[in-house]
C-alpha cells in the first residue's frame, strides 16, 4: 500500500478509503531513534538555523522514508509549509495541497475535501465507510481522554501519545485500536494520585522535548488536558465529515481555539496552563492573546531542538506547580 506523507492532521478518511497509508511525518520525526540528526541533515541540505526544528525534522523524515507524495496543508497550519513544499518538490516529491478556509466556510472546506477525493479517486460512499470505521477507533481515544480527566487513571504522557497518534493512527487503525484497548483494560482501578495533585493543561503544538509529562508528574502535577492532541482525535458529535473538519479547531485561528480551551479548562477543573511555544514559530505571537484571554495562570515554555527539559525550564515548572499548590 502506498505511503502518503502528511504534514499535519488532514481528512485521513480519504487516504484510507483509497487504500493508501497516511504517514504523519511529525510523528516519524519525533519518534525516530535520532531526531536531532534529522534536524542537522536538513541544515546540511541548506535549511537556515533560524527555522523551526519541526519543519527541518519532517523535511528529512520524508526523504528518509522514501515518501513520494505528501499532502501539505497550505492554509491553516504553518507559515513555513510553502517553502517546505518547494524543497520537497526539488527533491522529487509530489505535493498534494490542502487548505483549511480561514473563515471555516462549509462550502469552501467541502470543495477542498472534494478535490482531495478527486486526487485519490474515491467517492463519498467510500469515504463515509472509512469514516465509520475510524469513528470506532476514535471512540477509544475519546475514552482514554475521559479516563484521564474524569477518573484520573491515565498519565498525561499516555493521553498525549494516544491522542496525537490520531492524526494517522500510526498507519494501522486496527493495531492502534488493539493497543488502546489494552491500555484501557490494564489501567489501575484507583486514581493515579491523591486530592493534592495539581491539574494542568497543555496548549499549543505538541512538545519537542520528550520528558515534560513525566517531569510534571514527578512534581505532583499531571496534564489532564492536551489541547491540540485532543483536537487530532476529532472529539465531535457529527456524522458529517465536512462538519467534523469544520469543528476541528487547530487550523482556524486562536480565538476559535480559545473557545474550546476555555470550555475544557472549566470542565476538567484545570488549575494552571502550560502554553508551549516552539522556537521560530509564528504561533509564539499568539501567546499574548492566550495570556490576555485566559483567567488561569499561564506558564509559557519554549523548546527548540528535540531534547530533554533543561535545568532552567525545570526550575520554572517547579515554581509554577508550587505556586498553584499554595
Ligand atoms: S511549530 Fe510552528 S513553525 Fe514549527 S511546524 Fe509547527 S506551526 Fe510550523
Amino acid at each position: 500500500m502506498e505511503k502518503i506523507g502528511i504534514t499535519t492532521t488532514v481528512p485521513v478518511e480519504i487516504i484510507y478509503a483509497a487504500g493508501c497509508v497516511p504517514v504523519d511525518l511529525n510523528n516519524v520525526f519525533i519518534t525516530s531513534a535520532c531526531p536531532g540528526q534529522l534536524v542537522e541533515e536538513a541544515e546540511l541540505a541548506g535549511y537556515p538555523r533560524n527555522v523551526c526544528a519541526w519543519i527541518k525534522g519532517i523535511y528529512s523524515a520524508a526523504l528518509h522514508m522514501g515518501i513520494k507524495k505528501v499532502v501539505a496543508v497550505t492554509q491553516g497550519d504553518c507559515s513555513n509549509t510553502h517553502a517546505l513544499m518547494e524543497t520537497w518538490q526539488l527533491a522529487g516529491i509530489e505535493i498534494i495541497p490542502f487548505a483549511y478556509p480561514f473563515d471555516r466556510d462549509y462550502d469552501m472546506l467541502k470543495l477542498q475535501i472534494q478535490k482531495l477525493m478527486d486526487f485519490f479517486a474515491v467517492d463519498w460512499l467510500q469515504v463515509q465507510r472509512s469514516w465509520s470505521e475510524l469513528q470506532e477507533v476514535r471512540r477509544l481515544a475519546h475514552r482514554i481522554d475521559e479516563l484521564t480527566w474524569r477518573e484520573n487513571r491515565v498519565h498525561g504522557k499516555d493521553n498525549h501519545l494516544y491522542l496525537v497518534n490520531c492524526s494517522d493512527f500510526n498507519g494501522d487503525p486496527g493495531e492502534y485500536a488493539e493497543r488502546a484497548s489494552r491500555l484501557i483494560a490494564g489501567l489501575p482501578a484507583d486514581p493515579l494520585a491523591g486530592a493534592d495533585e495539581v491539574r494542568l493543561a497543555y496548549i499549543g503544538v505538541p512538545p519537542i522535548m520528550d520528558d515534560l509529562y513525566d517531569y510534571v508528574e514527578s512534581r505532583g502535577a499531571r496534564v489532564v488536558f492536551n489541547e491540540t492532541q485532543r483536537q487530532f482525535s476529532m472529539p465531535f458529535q457529527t456524522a458529517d465529515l465536512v462538519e467534523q473538519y469544520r469543528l476541528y479547531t487547530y487550523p482556524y485561528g486562536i480565538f476559535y481555539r480559545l473557545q474550546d480551551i476555555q470550555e475544557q479548562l472549566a470542565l476538567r477543573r484545570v488549575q494552571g496552563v502550560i502554553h508551549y511555544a516552539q522556537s521560530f514559530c509564528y504561533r509564539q505571537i499568539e501567546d499574548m492573546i492566550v495570556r490576555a484571554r485566559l483567567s488561569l495562570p499561564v506558564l509559557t515554555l519554549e523548546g527548540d531542538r528535540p531534547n530533554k527539559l533543561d535545568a532552567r525550564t525545570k526550575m520554572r515548572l517547579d515554581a509554577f506547580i508550587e505556586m498553584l499548590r499554595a
Side-chain angles (χ1 to χ4, degrees):
M1 288 195 286
E2 186 176 15
K3 289 190 164 81
I4 307 292
I6 59 175
T7 56
T8 185
T9 293
V10 295
V12 281
E13 289 82 357
I14 297 171
I15 301 175
Y16 277 118
C20 300
V21 178
V23 178
D24 186 335
L25 296 165
N26 295 283
N27 297 345
V28 174
F29 158 53
I30 206 65
T31 59
S32 79
C34 199
Q37 193 180 319
L38 295 179
V39 174
E40 277 177 27
E41 284 176 21
E43 288 177 346
L44 284 171
Y47 265 83
R49 194 192 61 80
N50 60 350
V51 162
C52 159
W54 282 103
I55 288 289
K56 291 184 271 200
I58 69 174
Y59 167 78
S60 300
L63 300 187
H64 268 258
M65 285 200 76
I67 295 281
K68 298 278 180 274
K69 292 177 188 154
V70 174
V71 179
V73 171
T74 55
Q75 189 174 311
D77 182 28
C78 176
S79 57
N80 291 318
T81 301
H82 284 242
L84 172 66
M85 283 162 49
E86 288 162 350
T87 55
W88 272 331
Q89 282 176 313
L90 186 68
I93 294 176
E94 183 179 358
I95 299 298
I96 308 151
F98 182 83
Y100 288 98
F102 182 75
D103 59 359
R104 301 178 57 239
D105 181 85
Y106 185 95
D107 296 331
M108 292 287 283
L109 181 57
K110 189 173 182 184
L111 183 67
Q112 285 293 316
I113 287 174
Q114 184 70 61
K115 284 177 70 177
L116 198 59
M117 287 167 55
D118 292 347
F119 180 89
F120 285 101
V122 291
D123 59 27
W124 283 104
L125 198 64
Q126 289 170 296
V127 172
Q128 190 64 29
R129 203 175 301 134
S130 165
W131 178 87
S132 300
E133 286 165 10
L134 289 187
Q135 274 307 95
E136 294 299 310
V137 186
R138 290 189 195 281
R139 263 183 215 116
L140 292 167
H142 302 158
R143 180 69 184 136
I144 289 173
D145 193 29
E146 191 181 26
L147 288 165
T148 307
W149 68 270
R150 203 189 279 275
E151 297 187 24
N152 302 316
R153 291 162 60 204
V154 178
H155 292 286
K157 187 169 189 176
D158 285 331
N159 179 285
H160 156 75
L161 288 174
Y162 278 87
L163 297 186
V164 85
N165 283 342
C166 289
S167 60
D168 64 354
F169 300 99
N170 288 331
D172 186 345
E175 195 272 339
Y176 175 97
E178 274 173 32
R179 266 192 309 119
S181 301
R182 271 202 306 276
L183 177 95
I184 294 168
L187 288 176
D190 296 326
L192 291 169
D196 61 341
E197 182 186 58
V198 173
R199 297 170 74 83
L200 297 174
Y202 176 96
I203 68 171
V205 299
I208 204 158
M209 59 284 264
D210 65 5
D211 57 346
L212 174 68
Y213 295 95
D214 292 338
Y215 186 75
V216 299
E217 288 192 20
S218 76
R219 290 297 186 262
R222 188 167 54 96
V223 173
V224 297
F225 173 44
N226 279 301
E227 183 236 342
T228 305
Q229 298 90 323
R230 171 175 170 269
Q231 286 295 316
F232 290 176
S233 76
M234 304 286 144
F236 317 116
Q237 298 294 324
T238 176
D240 176 348
L241 180 89
V242 179
E243 185 63 9
Q244 173 176 295
Y245 285 95
R246 210 180 72 83
L247 291 169
Y248 170 48
T249 62
Y250 177 74
Y252 300 117
I254 190 65
F255 293 106
Y256 181 56
R257 278 178 53 204
L258 278 168
Q259 287 174 26
D260 167 66
I261 291 169
Q262 282 165 320
E263 246 178 62
Q264 293 302 317
L265 294 181
L267 182 69
R268 297 172 187 229
R269 293 176 290 108
V270 168
Q271 294 161 267
V273 177
I274 297 172
H275 181 209
Y276 178 72
Q278 175 69 31
S279 298
F280 310 117
C281 175
Y282 76 99
R283 292 180 187 272
Q284 283 191 319
I285 302 167
E286 294 173 341
D287 188 56
M288 60 195 273
I289 304 171
V290 167
R291 288 176 167 279
R293 285 296 172 92
L294 294 187
S295 50
L296 289 177
V298 176
L299 176 71
T300 304
L301 292 187
E302 182 174 346
D304 185 2
R305 297 186 171 239
N307 217 330
K308 304 284 179 202
L309 293 167
D310 59 30
R312 180 173 163 272
T313 306
K314 284 182 177 176
M315 282 166 56
R316 293 185 63 221
L317 278 165
D318 290 353
F320 188 61
I321 292 167
E322 280 317 306
M323 186 264 296
L324 294 173
R325 184 175 284 120

